[in-house]
């Protein structure tokens, strides 16, 4: 009965998407990320000079507005190269390829900050569901599911030892802001925080990959700012 109630209210959609994203993708690629970064750094020492940013920066727009081309979304974001790929036998596919792209994020002085970044693809699925009448997922329900997805993903990754220190969750409103460089500014804020404000604690395993997500799951609430700098 509980399962049927959850299905009718669409409460289990985000939970299932978060676990599928973790088990079917992040748990596979994140433990291998540092090795890929190391290989690229040996070949191109200037691209990855700051190890504290050797993480997969996962973009999580609460609007579920996922674009396929970051360079078109923000001209201050420029594709540089792909990290060395991982090839694994997976679900009947002999050599399934997993890879990430490295981008240069240009700051106000046109200085490049390099990082691996990509959108969380399940949010694209939520957006598609909200536009399909058969899914019966309205705009407010989509927002609530996006918040629940982000919170569930943060909890899952926070409990994963093999993924510790390999990711950075970047949650933002993403309502199609008129500001053309809002996405690059968001990325730069996180890159600067990692480089200048985060320090490991000796004898502990701090979770510096992402701050706890204070997401209020209420259809009447708009997206709450997750930043601590007033934006």
């Amino acid at each position: 009965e509980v399962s049927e109630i959850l299905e009718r209210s669409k409460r289990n959609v985000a939970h299932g998407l978060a676990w599928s994203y973790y088990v079917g993708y992040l748990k596979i690629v994140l433990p291998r990320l540092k090795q890929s970064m190391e290989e690229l750094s040996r070949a191109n020492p200037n691209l990855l000079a700051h190890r504290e940013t050797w993480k997969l920066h996962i973009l999580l727009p609460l609007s579920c507005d996922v674009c396929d081309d970051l360079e078109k979304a923000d001209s201050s974001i420029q594709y540089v190269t792909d990290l060395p790929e991982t090839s694994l036998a997976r679900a009947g596919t002999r050599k399934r390829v997993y890879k990430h792209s490295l981008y240069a994020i240009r700051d106000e002085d046109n200085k490049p900050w390099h990082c691996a970044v990509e959108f969380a693809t399940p949010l694209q699925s939520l957006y598609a569901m909200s536009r399909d009448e058969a899914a019966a997922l309205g705009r407010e329900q989509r927002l609530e599911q996006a918040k629940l997805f982000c919170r569930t993903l943060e909890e899952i990754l926070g409990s994963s030892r093999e993924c510790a220190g390999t990711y950075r969750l970047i949650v933002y409103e993403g309502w199609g802001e008129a500001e053309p460089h809002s996405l690059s500014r968001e990325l730069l804020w996180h890159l600067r925080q990692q480089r200048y404000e985060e320090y490991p604690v000796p004898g502990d395993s701090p979770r510096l990959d992402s701050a706890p997500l204070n997401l209020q799951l209420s259809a009447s609430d708009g997206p709450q700012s997750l930043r601590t700098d007033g934006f």
Side-chain angles (χ1 to χ4, degrees):
E1 290 179 358
V2 172
S3 178
E4 290 180 359
I5 292 172
L6 289 174
E7 286 186 24
R8 286 196 298 268
S9 63
K10 306 296 188 297
R11 294 280 180 177
N12 60 350
V13 173
H15 187 267
L17 285 174
W19 272 103
S20 177
Y21 184 48
Y22 169 69
V23 175
Y25 179 65
L26 295 180
K27 191 176 181 181
I28 298 170
V29 301
L30 289 181
R32 297 170 172 82
L33 183 69
K34 293 290 178 76
Q35 181 180 346
S36 295
M37 291 279 194
E38 190 73 53
E39 291 178 23
L40 183 62
S41 179
R42 285 197 296 267
N44 305 273
N46 295 328
L47 289 182
L48 296 169
H50 304 281
R51 285 180 173 268
E52 58 270 21
T53 61
W54 286 19
K55 301 173 183 177
L56 181 61
H57 296 75
I58 303 172
L59 298 174
L60 297 157
L62 295 178
S63 65
C64 300
D65 187 11
V66 173
C67 64
D68 294 321
D69 192 334
L70 283 172
E71 292 180 299
K72 289 183 179 179
D74 191 324
S75 60
S76 294
I77 302 175
Q78 300 171 346
Y79 169 79
V80 177
T81 187
D82 289 330
L83 272 64
E85 63 187 35
T86 297
S87 178
L88 299 171
R90 186 76 176 168
T93 301
R94 290 275 183 105
K95 293 183 178 180
R96 178 161 294 181
V97 175
Y98 300 88
K99 66 179 180 180
H100 312 286
S101 295
L102 188 76
Y103 288 87
I105 318 299
R106 297 280 175 178
D107 63 15
E108 303 81 1
D109 300 319
N110 204 35
K111 173 187 174 183
W113 296 60
H114 296 97
C115 69
V117 56
E118 61 188 46
F119 282 96
T121 52
L123 292 182
Q124 200 169 34
S125 299
L126 274 178
Y127 187 82
M129 288 176 65
S130 70
R131 298 177 65 86
D132 192 319
E133 292 183 1
L137 188 71
R139 186 175 183 274
E140 290 187 353
Q141 288 177 311
R142 185 185 73 197
L143 174 58
E144 186 169 341
Q145 290 299 309
K147 291 179 179 181
L148 180 57
F149 172 83
C150 293
R151 190 177 69 182
T152 305
L153 184 62
E154 195 272 343
E155 292 174 352
I156 294 171
L157 286 171
S159 302
S160 174
R161 291 188 177 183
E162 57 264 54
C163 295
T166 62
Y167 67 94
R168 178 86 174 188
L169 301 182
I170 302 179
V171 185
Y172 63 102
E173 292 185 8
W175 293 110
E177 301 89 343
E179 166 55 50
H181 300 298
S182 58
L183 183 53
S184 58
R185 285 211 312 267
E186 191 76 33
L187 280 165
L188 285 168
W189 185 85
H190 282 270
L191 290 170
R192 284 170 174 147
Q193 188 185 52
Q194 291 172 86
R195 191 180 299 185
Y196 300 127
E197 298 180 20
E198 296 181 351
Y199 303 93
V201 179
D204 195 6
S205 299
R207 280 165 48 191
L208 299 178
D209 346 76
S210 60
L213 305 181
N214 182 22
L215 300 177
Q216 301 178 16
L217 301 180
S218 170
S220 61
D221 293 337
Q224 303 297 311
S225 174
L226 302 176
R227 297 271 290 270
T228 58
D229 59 351
F231 290 93

